[in-house]
Amino acid sequence: MMGIFDMSLINWSRGQFAMSAMFHWIFVPLTLGLIILVAIMETIYVRTGDEKWKKLTKFWAKLFGINFAIGIATGIILEFQFGTNWSNYSWFVGDIFGAPLAIEGIMAFFMEATFVAVMFFGWNKVSKRFHLISTWLVAVGANLSALWILVANAWMQYPVGTVFNPMTARNEMVDFWAVLFSPVAVNKFLHTVASGYVLAAVFVIGVSSWFLLKNRDVLFAKRSIIIASVFGITTLLFLVWSGDESARQMADKQPMKFAAMEALWEGQTNAPLIAIGLLQKPAPPKTANEYQEKDFAIKIEIPNMLSYMAFLDPNAYIPGVKDLVDGYTNPNTGEVHISYYEKMERGKEAIAALKGYKEALNAEDEEALQIYKAKFEDQVWMQNTFKYFGYGYYDAYTVSGLLPNIPVAFYSFHIMVALSGHFLALFLLMLIFTLKNRIERMRWLHYIAIWTIPLAYIATQLGWIVAEMGRQPWVIQDLMPTLSAVSRIDSGSVQLTFWLFAITFTILLIAEIRILVKQINKGITGGN
């Protein structure tokens, strides 16, 4: 079955969407976090009446506005790609995926668009309190936008609240609240927006440090550092908690991604967590689809920690990549988990049943149609067989295609976690030295703060790489592999638009950076 797919088209489509999403995500996290900081500063201004807080609010609001505008432009392109490059996917799940996107546009986006005008042009035209409410509503609207997008993404990782209609070959939503409040959706939203808050705190501290190095707007910079440090510490602790919860959900619902994240090939009880690890270069595979198992050249482990992190039990069994492919029995519970090969057979049966249903429908063969219809209405068959529909696209010769890129998942996860520790140390040091009124002498710390800004962007991008590349080959977990989701279009046209988007996004990014730098150079008090 794999031979019918144009891998060049699939790879270029994946590359184009990944590039567009990563460019979009450069702008979004700063928007999510900076607007909260702006709202906090304006709240202090309204409560104290201190005009210096107003100047500070207006300065950071201008940087927010620049970033906000370009973030919207890059996001719209992503939505068009669902129709142009991923039409099979859009057909298969459009009834589910479309609802959150529509709600985002109708509710959250309109809220942002309405009140952002008051926020930027309403100074001295509306009351202080109304302006403050408008700013907070922009913050709520921006975060609600993220909520609906993340609900849609979470459904792809953990499809719930839907049924499959064989007549239309589409998934249809039957329980909106199950989709909205699935544990994966709730946690994904909390973890993702928290990462944006941390990035915004790092950005504000880094820019403020530049002012301290230049000995400009010192009081404003110190106030910004205090607000951002407290905000950063609070949200980073929340980020760690939600990340821990994400790991538990992943171990339960996406065990292959969890195993890839730790480069765990063999299942273990009392599994250790790799604190620091360097993977060996693997030996060349003897066949095209042989596992390219990668052992560690160097590793420092925390005993029992992986088992505890996944199931809050240091003795818990964690299946490795090989166990998931070959099938395994949990030594602690005796629970049997079928192999990928068995899932492939069940997936092929599900695909054949759907094909038979469509043929019976077209031939108006009522007897055969009723047989297939009964199968799709049988919940046991749906749970035991149709659930593995996507595995039917693979066979024993292509089983390696069901594995994510292990080194990418491993290094992305561990670098992201290490950077989180760096951010926490930075927030604590900046807060302590500012409160002790010694921050102006800490020039070394200012340089670290400035260079931490790109590290914050790298960390948040790595988080998405773990989430999206770790779940490959699935565009919808177990139901639809990425290769079957693409539109049947010429790969040349995807290549052309890839480079056009790459050029456009790069120009937008350069424009954003230049405008931000120009605005920062004007200074806080000079940026009225």
Side-chain angles (χ1 to χ4, degrees), residues 165-417:
N165 184 344
M167 181 172 287
T168 58
R170 293 166 68 99
N171 284 279
E172 297 173 351
M173 187 185 297
V174 293
D175 189 344
F176 173 78
W177 302 111
V179 175
L180 177 59
F181 292 115
S182 87
V184 174
V186 171
N187 200 74
K188 179 171 277 293
F189 170 68
L190 296 177
H191 190 62
T192 307
V193 297
S195 73
Y197 300 162
V198 170
L199 182 143
V202 169
F203 178 82
V204 169
I205 287 173
V207 173
S208 301
S209 294
W210 180 83
F211 281 116
L212 292 180
L213 278 174
K214 298 291 182 183
N215 199 26
R216 293 174 53 190
D217 297 320
V218 172
L219 175 63
F220 296 93
K222 288 162 75 174
R223 286 186 174 183
S224 296
I225 287 173
I226 290 175
I227 296 291
S229 296
V230 173
F231 185 68
I233 292 168
T234 308
T235 54
L236 184 56
L237 293 176
F238 184 75
L239 183 70
V240 171
W241 171 81
S242 57
D244 186 52
E245 188 63 29
S246 288
R248 266 190 290 287
Q249 290 178 6
M250 203 185 300
D252 179 45
K253 299 174 176 63
Q254 295 176 300
M256 179 58 83
K257 184 197 288 188
F258 189 77
M261 209 170 68
E262 276 296 298
L264 182 69
W265 286 87
E266 305 277 358
Q268 298 180 45
T269 53
N270 305 96
L273 179 71
I274 304 295
I276 299 173
L278 183 64
L279 292 167
Q280 286 181 340
K281 186 177 179 181
K286 295 175 183 175
T287 64
N289 296 299
E290 189 183 40
Y291 299 146
Q292 296 185 43
E293 185 176 350
K294 299 169 181 63
D295 203 355
F296 286 94
I298 303 169
K299 64 178 175 181
I300 300 175
E301 300 175 335
I302 304 174
N304 304 329
M305 193 60 193
L306 189 63
S307 290
Y308 185 80
M309 186 171 82
F311 297 105
L312 297 177
D313 177 2
N315 301 313
Y317 179 78
I318 307 297
V321 173
K322 287 182 176 178
D323 305 282
L324 294 164
V325 173
D326 298 331
Y328 68 98
T329 301
N330 188 314
N332 293 341
T333 64
E335 189 177 358
V336 176
H337 297 261
I338 64 174
S339 69
Y340 274 16
Y341 303 101
E342 176 62 27
K343 291 178 181 179
M344 290 175 198
E345 293 304 314
R346 298 187 187 189
K348 292 183 193 310
E349 181 185 334
I351 291 172
L354 180 60
K355 183 181 178 184
Y357 183 100
K358 301 296 288 184
E359 288 174 350
L361 186 68
N362 293 334
E364 298 182 354
D365 184 346
E366 191 60 30
E367 184 179 351
L369 189 61
Q370 289 305 318
I371 292 172
Y372 287 117
K373 192 175 179 182
K375 189 168 278 194
F376 282 99
E377 290 174 351
D378 179 357
Q379 291 306 307
V380 175
W381 185 82
M382 292 296 287
Q383 280 300 316
N384 292 334
T385 303
F386 185 80
K387 179 182 178 182
Y388 305 113
F389 185 90
Y391 288 86
Y393 290 93
Y394 295 85
D395 54 36
Y397 298 101
T398 56
V399 67
S400 62
L402 288 165
L403 273 58
N405 187 311
I406 308 273
V408 167
F410 174 81
Y411 286 121
S412 297
F413 171 68
H414 286 78
I415 294 172
M416 176 186 67
V417 172

Side-chain angles (χ1 to χ4, degrees), residues 36-47:
I36 301 283
L37 284 165
V38 168
I40 291 171
M41 291 176 188
E42 187 175 348
T43 302
I44 297 173
Y45 159 63
V46 171
R47 289 182 66 85

Side-chain angles (χ1 to χ4, degrees), residues 439-455:
I439 192 65
E440 291 165 73
R441 285 175 278 165
M442 301 294 166
R443 294 179 67 83
W444 60 272
L445 189 55
H446 302 156
Y447 285 111
I448 290 175
I450 292 169
W451 283 106
T452 299
I453 294 176
L455 295 181

Side-chain angles (χ1 to χ4, degrees), residues 127-185:
S127 71
K128 287 182 181 178
R129 290 190 180 279
F130 185 76
H131 192 278
L132 177 61
I133 291 170
S134 299
T135 303
W136 274 109
L137 286 175
V138 172
V140 171
N143 283 269
L144 277 179
S145 288
L147 168 68
W148 297 112
I149 298 296
L150 293 168
V151 164
N153 180 275
W155 184 86
M156 295 159 66
Q157 317 237 8
Y158 179 52
V160 292
T162 60
V163 296
F164 180 74
N165 184 344
M167 181 172 287
T168 58
R170 293 166 68 99
N171 284 279
E172 297 173 351
M173 187 185 297
V174 293
D175 189 344
F176 173 78
W177 302 111
V179 175
L180 177 59
F181 292 115
S182 87
V184 174

